[in-house]
Amino acid sequence: DIIQTSRPQFTNSPTMIVMVGLPARGKTYISRKLTRYLNWIGVQTQGECILYIFIYLYRDYSKEPKDCIYTGTCTNNLSSFKLWYVTHNVVFDATNTTRERRGVIISFAKEKGYKVFFIESICDDPEIIEANIMEVKLSSPDYEDCDKEEALDDFVKRIECYKTNYVSLDEEKDRHLSYIKIFNVGSRYLVNRVQDHIQSRIVYYLMNIHVTPRSIYLSRHGESELNLLGRIGGDSGLSTQGKKYASALAEFIRNQAIKDLKVWTSHMKRTIQTAEALGVAYEQWKALNEIDAGMCEEMTYEKIQENYPEEFAMRDQDKYRYRYPKGESYEDLVHRLEPVIMELERQENVLVICHQAVMRCLLAYFLDKSADELPYLKCPLHTVLKLTPVAYGCKVESFYLNIKAVNTHRERPANVDVTRGPEEALRTVPDHF
Amino acid sequence: MSAADGSMDPCGPTPSRELTQNPLKKIWMPCKNGLPEKHISQRRVCMTNCPTLIVTVGLPARGKTYISKKLTRYLNWIGVPTKEFNVGQYRRECVKIYKSFEFFRPDNEEGLKIRKECASAALNDVRQYLTEEGGQVAVFDATNTTRERRETINRFAEQNGFKVFFVESVCEDPDVIAENIVQVKLGSPDYTHCNTEQAVEDFMKRIKCYENSYQPLDEVLDRDLSFIKIIDVGRRYLVNRVQDHIQSRIVYYLMNIHITPRSIYLCRHGESDLNVKGRIGGDSGLTFRGKEFAHYLGQFIHAQGISDLKVWTSQMKRTIQTAEALGVPYEQWKALNEIDAGVCEELMYEEIQQRYPLEFALRDQDKYRYRYPKGESYEDLVQRLEPVIMELERQENVLVICHQAVMRCLLAYFLDKSAEELPYLKCPLHTVLKLTPVAYGCKVESIYLNVDAVNTHRERPENVNVHRSAADALQTVPAHL
């Protein structure tokens, strides 16, 4: 039973992540982002699952602590994952401390054989808290009919109530727990007893993300010579239209007037030629190179169907996991792109000039697309996607720069059987010379 | 024209520059009149704009030098020029003979004067390394236990435009400290004239000299500094104000290393069919002898009686076949695959010389940076292997069954070999290297499992000129069928 992925799976027991903190401390933001990242790097495979539990400190006296853990279903496939919510309805009693309630969670985890990792977000900067509240809380149904100022006031008062009940993770008393405490959106971190690989990766990720407003621009290289011929891969230069796009991109970027924009390209000629037209410094990343099609490099789809009909069919059956002979799979690509994503998280305004498969992977990360959707995301030539993080997600603006280009998007055909005929296999191939 | 500071030319679009592909690294670069133009970064990502000064903080025997050396080794391996500056070393050069802990007494004016001078001399060398010798990171290894001393260093860094990152090690576990003293202090030049008991006693008094004036980095008082505080050998970490990419990488690395005793076993797959034919790359299976090796490898591993041994292979048939013979679970890493020889895959050296004589010569000129056409370079390999190294640091006992170029890269990391030496490290078939971290380095034991195999090691020939004859080029090719 060898698990066929790019890289070994590192945990045997599932991990339960417990978010701790007062309201408006970014718990939801952090857990959604972390979930997205872990899903993208493929953690949800083969029985490894990550479960989240929140500790909300609502003063509701009606429920017993042990009745508060909602056990939902845990899915083991790559694409879906459920956020578990535990509302800690606290029975307020002088003898009942929240440390006891954490104890309930820990025994629950022990019973199930889960490792527990706490993420606590602590913030004492009133400006950050206010910004949080404005961005995410006030858009909730609770405050639909309220005046913004009043609503803010009300929420701040709510938080004050919770403060009296709140017990932060303690360096001494909680020294046996595994946790990270994040202070003031990342200016400081306290990390205790990281147990394994996945916790180490989680810590690294959390320490690299930030909330400074910024935009990420994703674009492919301008149309290339091989694009025109309907051939995949290779290292060709830009076509005439491609060069026009590069100029148009330069103007677009100029008009956006972006502060301190970083520009990244791959090591392939077509992205670099595109960047050259911008007239600014750019950095080349080998990790941004297009997916390696191995034996199928520089072939047309027709040629692939002719020479490797079985391979062609298998790819349509599972485009995410399919690896070209002596080449790569989308799954491999995601693994290759991790350091790029990590650095994108650290950076602020960035323009990434890359390739179709690569752009699909990056987009899937930002827009939380599943492994099944990822290889079919539409990333046409000569179109810039502007991604701006907002609330819990990402706003996407699409800019087609009005320079004609061939279509390189091949939809999944209806018939993916290895016995299918060439016509069925090639039905969805886009036009080319 | 393009602006280095990232600002756009207000006069409108510039005509695209021509691109030329660097023949060695296969990197596309702008060129003028057929000659390559200087470009800001050919590297994967610009780690820092200004150099970084890492400053250790902590009482003696807290692992500062261990951390400094390890960090330096890691950064150099990933391609960031780094050097460590150990103030104790400077002191030993200044005060030729160490008499006793009295030198370190806080009221010893003469001692204080000398120690201050040594720190200054070291900082001077740091400045030279970072500004004139192309260094990117300098590790200033000293106790730096007072706020005053740290302030001095901060001022120095500010004057020179260096970023500062403090690495503090705090530990009160007497067992850890005792083990530390045994492993590295007793063998120090300071104590050659003492017996163990005397040395330990003296060293403990030395530590005492620092304790009273020790001002650990503080969450509040030092909130504007960038630092990591490592508590109890990694049980807990406090990280404050990570400024940039390189500091983030340093923190990640420091949080993954440990000092639990363990061994790492490195070996190649058993002899393969392509090995015997003198062909590089490919994905062939084991020869009869290769299978024999796998069998003996199983016996060897079993005899070593290692607790909880993890076994890793690449995703190529020959390493997996080798692991299969061990009869234990193993994990496959694509990152451990052999270097991709691109258009030269499955060719013999003779064929490469025949079809691509220029490439063959370029490779001999700079084997570390040379990238096969449509393939990889050793430099690419190191980048690919970085997550493997990180996980090796986290793990304990591991057996890695890999390939020649890959094994050279891993070995270079553990044995601190330079980019020049790396591609020529000897990693013969059917030989297991057992690496055991000890003191500041790594003990290496080489175990040949007594099954014959072809030699696949090609030395650098004398003549690396592109106009050399075929005979000169093929001089060092090992024998094959």
Side-chain angles (χ1 to χ4, degrees):
Chain A
D1 323 338
I2 312 296
I3 300 167
Q4 268 293 343
T5 56
S6 299
R7 163 264 313 266
Q9 308 308 295
F10 286 112
T11 47
N12 305 315
S13 32
T15 306
M16 192 162 94
I17 298 184
V18 183
M19 307 296 298
V20 181
L22 291 170
R25 263 42 175 193
K27 295 189 301 299
T28 308
Y29 174 81
I30 290 170
S31 52
R32 295 246 180 126
K33 210 169 153 75
L34 187 55
T35 309
R36 181 161 56 86
Y37 171 67
L38 293 173
N39 271 327
W40 186 77
I41 65 172
V43 165
Q44 257 58 249
T45 55
Q46 307 280 350
E48 242 186 301
C49 54
I50 300 237
L51 326 168
Y52 286 86
I53 295 189
F54 279 23
I55 296 188
Y56 281 120
L57 304 165
Y58 297 134
R59 207 187 290 183
D60 175 338
Y61 312 143
S62 57
K63 278 205 181 151
E64 284 294 309
K66 65 173 171 56
D67 292 332
C68 297
I69 300 175
Y70 295 110
T71 51
T73 44
C74 174
T75 50
N76 284 354
N77 70 56
L78 260 182
S79 57
S80 70
F81 164 87
K82 291 207 184 332
L83 254 181
W84 291 17
Y85 287 92
V86 172
T87 328
H88 254 258
N89 296 321
V90 171
V91 177
F92 185 63
D93 180 320
T95 62
N96 230 349
T97 63
T98 54
R99 187 161 292 109
E100 278 176 36
R101 264 180 297 291
R102 286 200 276 271
V104 171
I105 291 178
I106 293 166
S107 345
F108 170 75
K110 209 168 180 173
E111 210 184 305
K112 302 270 186 193
Y114 302 150
K115 288 186 182 173
V116 187
F117 188 72
F118 291 89
I119 300 177
E120 180 173 17
S121 174
I122 295 175
C123 188
D124 52 23
D125 182 337
E127 272 179 42
I128 299 178
I129 297 169
E130 188 176 311
N132 257 353
I133 297 173
M134 296 303 279
E135 196 156 317
V136 293
K137 299 296 181 190
L138 300 190
S139 51
S140 101
D142 288 355
Y143 292 105
E144 229 164 44
D145 302 318
C146 293
D147 165 62
K148 290 285 181 215
E149 280 299 316
E150 271 177 34
L152 174 65
D153 213 50
D154 180 77
F155 203 86
V156 171
K157 287 206 181 99
R158 245 165 89 171
I159 298 177
E160 287 304 313
C161 293
Y162 306 148
K163 273 190 186 170
T164 45
N165 226 12
Y166 179 59
V167 177
S168 177
L169 286 167
D170 184 81
E171 266 181 51
E172 209 11 69
K173 297 195 184 124
D174 294 312
R175 68 183 175 282
H176 297 298
L177 300 182
S178 294
Y179 64 81
I180 178 171
K181 270 182 189 236
I182 305 169
F183 295 88
N184 288 331
V185 207
S187 67
R188 193 162 83 248
Y189 305 91
L190 183 65
V191 181
N192 199 63
R193 286 190 187 270
V194 170
Q195 296 172 52
D196 60 17
H197 175 92
I198 197 68
Q199 290 180 17
S200 160
R201 295 289 291 281
I202 290 168
V203 164
Y204 183 42
Y205 181 72
L206 292 177
M207 288 176 54
N208 280 311
I209 61 180
H210 66 78
V211 293
T212 312
R214 51 83 171 251
S215 289
I216 294 168
Y217 297 79
L218 299 181
S219 160
R220 289 167 67 187
H221 51 83
E223 184 192 72
S224 74
E225 304 282 359
L226 285 181
N227 284 148
L228 279 179
L229 299 172
R231 292 177 180 279
I232 65 172
D235 192 15
S236 58
L238 298 180
S239 64
T240 314
Q241 290 298 101
K243 288 179 183 152
K244 285 191 189 150
Y245 172 70
S247 301
L249 182 62
E251 193 177 326
F252 170 78
I253 290 297
R254 244 194 311 276
N255 292 339
Q256 287 277 304
I258 309 147
K259 175 177 94 108
D260 274 335
L261 179 72
K262 294 259 159 66
V263 179
W264 296 354
T265 69
S266 68
H267 273 194
M268 295 179 143
K269 191 174 184 182
R270 51 201 188 278
T271 57
I272 297 168
Q273 269 185 302
T274 310
E276 275 288 313
L278 304 180
V280 297
Y282 55 89
E283 323 227 32
Q284 298 184 19
W285 288 71
K286 186 168 193 274
L288 285 171
N289 278 6
E290 181 59 315
I291 192 171
D292 183 358
M295 314 258 304
C296 300
E297 275 286 318
E298 301 196 42
M299 289 190 177
T300 56
Y301 289 120
E302 288 83 352
K303 196 93 195 180
I304 299 175
Q305 168 60 26
E306 197 184 297
N307 293 343
Y308 308 106
E310 248 183 65
E311 294 289 329
F312 201 37
M314 287 198 295
R315 185 160 206 250
D316 285 335
Q317 287 173 16
D318 190 347
K319 198 175 176 191
Y320 183 73
R321 280 164 211 82
Y322 170 83
R323 189 185 277 168
Y324 280 108
K326 302 197 176 173
E328 294 177 302
S329 62
Y330 270 93
E331 193 172 25
D332 294 329
L333 206 50
V334 159
H335 182 40
R336 207 201 318 138
L337 288 167
E338 280 173 52
V340 177
I341 286 295
M342 197 63 86
E343 190 56 23
L344 274 172
E345 285 295 344
R346 289 199 54 81
Q347 292 288 345
E348 292 181 20
N349 294 314
V350 186
L351 163 64
V352 184
I353 304 172
C354 53
H355 306 265
Q356 185 167 246
V358 170
M359 188 160 159
R360 284 171 171 155
C361 292
L362 297 177
L363 199 57
Y365 167 74
F366 288 109
L367 302 185
D368 203 14
K369 298 296 182 184
S370 67
D372 294 323
E373 298 171 283
L374 187 162
Y376 296 101
L377 291 175
K378 285 209 167 64
C379 295
L381 287 166
H382 300 186
T383 307
V384 184
L385 290 183
K386 177 179 178 179
L387 306 167
T388 311
V390 74
Y392 295 140
C394 225
K395 178 172 87 170
V396 195
E397 294 164 78
S398 172
F399 299 94
Y400 171 58
L401 296 193
N402 225 349
I403 310 278
K404 274 202 148 54
V406 294
N407 170 29
T408 57
H409 186 92
R410 180 176 165 268
E411 282 295 355
R412 189 180 197 260
N415 191 347
V416 300
D417 205 83
V418 295
T419 56
R420 68 190 178 175
E423 225 184 71
E424 286 176 300
L426 298 170
R427 187 151 294 162
T428 56
V429 172
D431 295 325
H432 59 87
F433 284 108
Chain B
M1 277 317 294
S2 75
D5 59 5
S7 62
M8 300 281 310
D9 177 355
C11 305
T14 46
S16 283
R17 299 182 289 190
E18 282 304 302
L19 291 179
T20 183
Q21 192 177 45
N22 165 291
L24 184 82
K25 296 179 76 169
K26 312 297 187 294
I27 295 204
W28 289 100
M29 297 175 351
C31 69
K32 213 174 191 179
N33 303 323
L35 291 168
E37 247 187 48
K38 258 242 163 113
H39 190 79
I40 287 161
S41 59
Q42 304 305 330
R43 291 189 294 173
R44 181 172 61 82
V45 66
C46 238
M47 294 272 193
T48 41
N49 305 315
C50 48
T52 304
L53 176 60
I54 299 177
V55 181
T56 63
V57 179
L59 293 172
R62 262 49 174 190
K64 297 183 301 297
T65 304
Y66 174 80
I67 288 169
S68 301
K69 287 187 185 270
K70 211 169 155 73
L71 190 54
T72 303
R73 178 162 56 89
Y74 169 69
L75 291 172
N76 276 316
W77 187 75
I78 64 171
V80 180
T82 307
K83 193 169 173 191
E84 35 129 11
F85 298 84
N86 178 290
V87 174
Q89 207 90 300
Y90 284 77
R91 188 259 306 158
R92 271 183 279 274
E93 245 135 77
C94 189
V95 182
K96 296 296 176 189
I97 299 170
Y98 174 76
K99 293 207 192 80
S100 79
F101 78 95
E102 307 266 356
F103 179 82
F104 291 98
R105 285 178 58 152
D107 55 0
N108 181 339
E109 288 214 16
E110 168 86 18
L112 278 172
K113 181 160 161 281
I114 294 175
R115 288 154 69 194
K116 232 180 188 162
E117 276 170 14
C118 289
S120 296
L123 283 179
N124 225 11
D125 287 349
V126 162
R127 185 203 342 256
Q128 192 169 325
Y129 177 66
L130 295 179
T131 52
E132 293 164 40
E133 292 172 20
Q136 191 74 59
V137 177
V139 184
F140 185 69
D141 177 17
T143 49
N144 299 315
T145 41
T146 61
R147 199 153 274 123
E148 188 206 333
R149 168 51 56 85
R150 298 195 289 266
E151 236 322 286
T152 312
I153 297 170
N154 261 329
R155 274 198 300 275
F156 161 83
E158 209 172 318
Q159 277 165 15
N160 288 287
F162 305 149
K163 285 186 186 174
V164 183
F165 188 72
F166 292 94
V167 176
E168 181 175 24
S169 175
V170 174
C171 180
E172 291 315 316
D173 184 335
D175 292 332
V176 173
I177 297 169
E179 181 58 27
N180 197 324
I181 295 176
V182 165
Q183 277 229 2
V184 293
K185 302 300 179 188
L186 299 187
S188 136
D190 291 346
Y191 294 110
T192 45
H193 60 288
C194 298
N195 71 36
T196 306
E197 250 177 58
Q198 294 171 323
V200 172
E201 202 191 310
D202 185 270
F203 201 81
M204 295 306 278
K205 291 197 182 128
R206 215 156 110 172
I207 298 177
K208 270 259 164 322
C209 294
Y210 286 89
E211 273 175 3
N212 287 337
S213 60
Y214 182 26
Q215 294 167 304
L217 286 168
D218 184 79
E219 267 179 53
V220 179
L221 296 172
D222 298 304
R223 64 181 170 282
D224 291 325
L225 298 181
S226 295
F227 66 83
I228 178 172
K229 197 193 260 273
I230 304 170
I231 300 151
D232 289 336
V233 204
R235 185 139 306 159
R236 192 158 80 241
Y237 304 91
L238 181 65
V239 180
N240 199 61
R241 292 197 185 275
V242 171
Q243 298 172 52
D244 59 18
H245 179 95
I246 191 70
Q247 290 182 17
S248 161
R249 293 287 288 277
I250 288 166
V251 165
Y252 184 43
Y253 182 71
L254 291 177
M255 288 177 57
N256 281 313
I257 60 182
H258 67 77
I259 55 168
T260 312
R262 50 82 171 252
S263 289
I264 295 169
Y265 298 80
L266 300 180
C267 77
R268 290 168 66 186
H269 51 82
E271 184 190 68
S272 75
D273 287 322
L274 286 181
N275 284 147
V276 166
K277 296 186 180 132
R279 294 182 177 279
I280 64 173
D283 194 13
S284 57
L286 301 179
T287 60
F288 178 76
R289 296 194 299 196
K291 288 177 186 152
E292 241 190 290
F293 165 72
H295 174 73
Y296 286 129
L297 181 63
Q299 285 187 350
F300 169 76
I301 290 300
H302 191 77
Q304 287 276 302
I306 310 148
S307 76
D308 266 335
L309 178 73
K310 296 259 159 60
V311 179
W312 296 352
T313 69
S314 70
Q315 287 189 345
M316 296 179 140
K317 190 174 180 184
R318 50 201 189 276
T319 56
I320 297 168
Q321 267 185 303
T322 309
E324 278 287 316
L326 305 179
V328 297
Y330 55 91
E331 318 229 41
Q332 298 183 19
W333 287 76
K334 187 171 189 279
L336 285 171
N337 279 5
E338 183 56 316
I339 192 172
D340 183 356
V343 301
C344 298
E345 276 285 319
E346 301 196 42
L347 297 184
M348 296 187 286
Y349 289 120
E350 291 83 347
E351 287 168 340
I352 300 176
Q353 168 59 26
Q354 196 179 70
R355 303 184 203 183
Y356 311 104
L358 173 64
E359 294 291 330
F360 202 36
L362 287 175
R363 184 159 209 252
D364 284 335
Q365 287 177 16
D366 190 346
K367 198 175 176 192
Y368 183 73
R369 282 166 208 82
Y370 171 82
R371 191 184 277 171
Y372 280 107
K374 302 196 176 174
E376 293 176 304
S377 61
Y378 271 93
E379 196 171 26
D380 294 330
L381 209 50
V382 160
Q383 214 184 92
R384 212 211 303 144
L385 287 167
E386 209 255 331
V388 176
I389 286 294
M390 197 63 86
E391 192 54 26
L392 273 173
E393 285 294 345
R394 288 199 56 79
Q395 294 286 345
E396 293 182 19
N397 294 312
V398 187
L399 163 64
V400 184
I401 303 172
C402 54
H403 306 265
Q404 185 166 245
V406 169
M407 187 163 159
R408 284 170 171 155
C409 292
L410 298 178
L411 199 56
Y413 167 73
F414 288 109
L415 302 185
D416 202 17
K417 298 294 182 187
S418 68
E420 277 60 50
E421 300 170 281
L422 187 161
Y424 296 101
L425 291 175
K426 283 206 167 70
C427 295
L429 287 164
H430 300 184
T431 307
V432 183
L433 290 185
K434 178 179 178 180
L435 306 169
T436 312
V438 74
Y440 295 140
C442 225
K443 179 171 87 169
V444 194
E445 292 165 74
S446 172
I447 304 114
Y448 171 59
L449 292 190
N450 224 351
V451 177
D452 278 334
V454 292
N455 171 28
T456 57
H457 186 93
R458 179 175 165 267
E459 282 294 357
R460 188 181 199 259
E462 266 179 57
N463 191 348
V464 299
N465 194 288
V466 298
H467 303 296
R468 65 190 178 176
S469 66
D472 275 352
L474 299 170
Q475 204 184 22
T476 55
V477 172
H480 58 86
L481 286 176

